[in-house]
């Protein structure tokens, strides 16, 4: 994809799918701002991106669940690059428990990052994106489409992200901003590290392609949605799951 001249923010960009998205955007010519909670991981990701793509990369330590933190990161990003063309809302956490055992703290933690965090970043960045005719890509999940055992909080947040995506597509389409969602299936990253191997094996059996996805396979779809090649794609939900929901 051609992302030359574009400035892209990737939240949760220090590892996993977010890092793969940042790497892909940089490889496709974008200047990238990595927004993540963990300072050391941000530094490592920035160093890696600079080495790999010789790209102009900015790292921001930010908690997406805090509007003040997000606004500070946006200010730093605009001060550094002078514009914003793409926002990838990728930061996410899990705190699993069945409904009968889920605590209020588990509910709040996941909603604050995975749902409110998307709102915070979209709200802060919207004017800059209108100014550039930019694009938003929200990383939801197939769990937001079909629910999942033990994930009341996560499923609610990811379904909410799909609702926000469609709302923003309607509100911002005439302003020149497109907004789309990507729903990954099972992707081999840290977020699935606590799932026992026998459950992973069961999950993989249900995937028509017979394997987990790779972060790069999500990243390439995000790069497409950010690029001019997707110029008439707005409000879409793109599943990247090996056919899991068929
Ligand atoms: P990961 O756990 O490897 O990476 C998540 C990143 O988000 C980390 O770098 C973390 O520091 C950052 N982060 C967490 N809380 C934050 C906060 N409050 N503010 C800023 N950054 C924060 O996870 P992974 O697998 O790369 O997931 C990325 C996205 O993809 C998430 O939204 C996740 O829900 C979604 N997803 C992942 C799937 C998978 O199978 N790995 C499947 C479907 C969706």
């Amino acid at each position: 994809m051609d992302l030359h001249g574009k400035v892209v923010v990737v939240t949760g960009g220090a590892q996993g799918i977010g890092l793969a998205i940042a790497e892909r955007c940089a490889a496709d010519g974008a200047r990238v701002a990595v927004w993540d909670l963990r300072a050391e991981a941000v530094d490592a990701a920035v160093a890696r991106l600079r080495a790999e793509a010789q790209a102009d990369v900015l790292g921001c330590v930010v908690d997406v669940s805090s509007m003040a933190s997000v606004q500070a990161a946006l200010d730093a990003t605009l001060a550094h690059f002078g514009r914003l063309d793409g926002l990838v809302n990728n930061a996410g956490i899990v705190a699993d428990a069945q409904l009968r055992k889920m605590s209020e703290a588990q509910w709040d933690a996941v909603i604050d990052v995975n749902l409110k965090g998307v709102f915070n970043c979209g709200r802060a960045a919207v004017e800059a994106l209108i100014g550039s005719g930019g694009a938003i890509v929200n990383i939801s999940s197939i769990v937001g489409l079909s629910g999942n055992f033990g994930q009341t909080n996560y499923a609610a947040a990811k379904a909410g992200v799909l609702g926000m995506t469609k709302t923003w597509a309607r509100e911002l389409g005439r302003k020149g901003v497109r907004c789309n969602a990507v729903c990954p299936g099972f992707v081999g990253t840290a977020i699935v590290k606590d799932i026992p191997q026998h459950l992973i094996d069961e999950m993989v059996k249900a995937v028509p392609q017979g394997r987990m996805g790779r972060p790069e396979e999500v990243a390439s779809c995000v790069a497409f949605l950010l690029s001019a090649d997707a110029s008439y794609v707005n409000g879409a939900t793109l599943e990247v799951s090996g056919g899991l929901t068929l």
Side-chain angles (χ1 to χ4, degrees):
M1 298 302 147
D2 183 4
L3 299 179
H4 286 92
K6 294 188 190 297
V7 173
V8 177
V9 163
V10 184
T11 73
Q15 74 174 35
I17 293 171
L19 179 58
I21 294 168
E23 287 178 307
R24 176 63 193 248
C25 290
D28 287 352
R31 290 169 287 163
V32 177
V34 172
W35 291 10
D36 204 291
L37 195 56
R38 297 165 303 119
E40 274 181 27
V42 168
D43 289 346
V46 168
R48 181 168 159 162
L49 285 160
R50 286 189 182 139
E52 278 172 2
Q54 282 83 48
D56 187 359
V57 182
L58 177 71
C60 295
V61 178
V62 53
D63 178 354
V64 296
S65 69
S66 155
M67 183 57 107
S69 177
V70 167
Q71 190 59 55
L74 182 75
D75 292 346
T77 300
L78 291 175
H80 184 81
F81 293 116
R83 59 181 294 133
L84 180 64
D85 304 273
L87 168 64
V88 183
N89 281 309
N90 165 82
I93 61 168
V94 289
D96 294 352
Q98 291 180 49
L99 176 60
R100 294 171 72 189
K101 293 186 179 161
M102 184 170 286
S103 67
E104 187 179 1
Q106 283 174 307
W107 168 264
D108 285 345
V110 170
I111 296 298
D112 280 354
V113 176
N114 296 14
L115 187 62
K116 187 181 172 197
V118 175
F119 165 74
N120 285 345
C121 294
R123 179 68 186 87
V126 63
E127 299 304 337
L129 291 167
I130 289 172
S132 66
I136 300 170
V137 179
N138 292 327
I139 307 300
S140 176
S141 166
I142 53 150
V143 170
L145 299 168
S146 52
N148 199 22
F149 195 94
Q151 292 197 311
T152 294
N153 47 6
Y154 187 83
K158 293 301 189 180
V161 166
L162 295 178
M164 249 192 288
T165 302
K166 291 171 189 173
T167 299
W168 293 355
R170 287 179 183 274
E171 288 186 2
L172 302 176
R174 280 186 182 75
K175 308 271 183 214
V177 177
R178 296 177 296 102
C179 183
N180 294 290
V182 170
C183 288
F186 303 125
V187 181
T189 67
I191 214 169
V192 296
K193 72 177 185 318
D194 293 331
I195 303 177
Q197 189 57 45
H198 72 276
L199 286 181
I200 299 246
D201 294 343
E202 282 301 311
M203 280 155 35
V204 165
K205 265 192 217 155
V207 180
Q209 280 188 257
R211 63 171 176 84
M212 292 181 94
R214 295 185 290 273
E216 298 76 21
E217 292 173 312
V218 179
S220 56
C221 297
V222 173
F224 164 67
L225 291 170
L226 290 171
S227 77
D229 286 306
S231 55
Y232 202 51
V233 183
N234 189 34
T237 301
L238 178 54
E239 275 187 55
V240 186
S241 69
L244 183 58
T245 60
L246 293 172

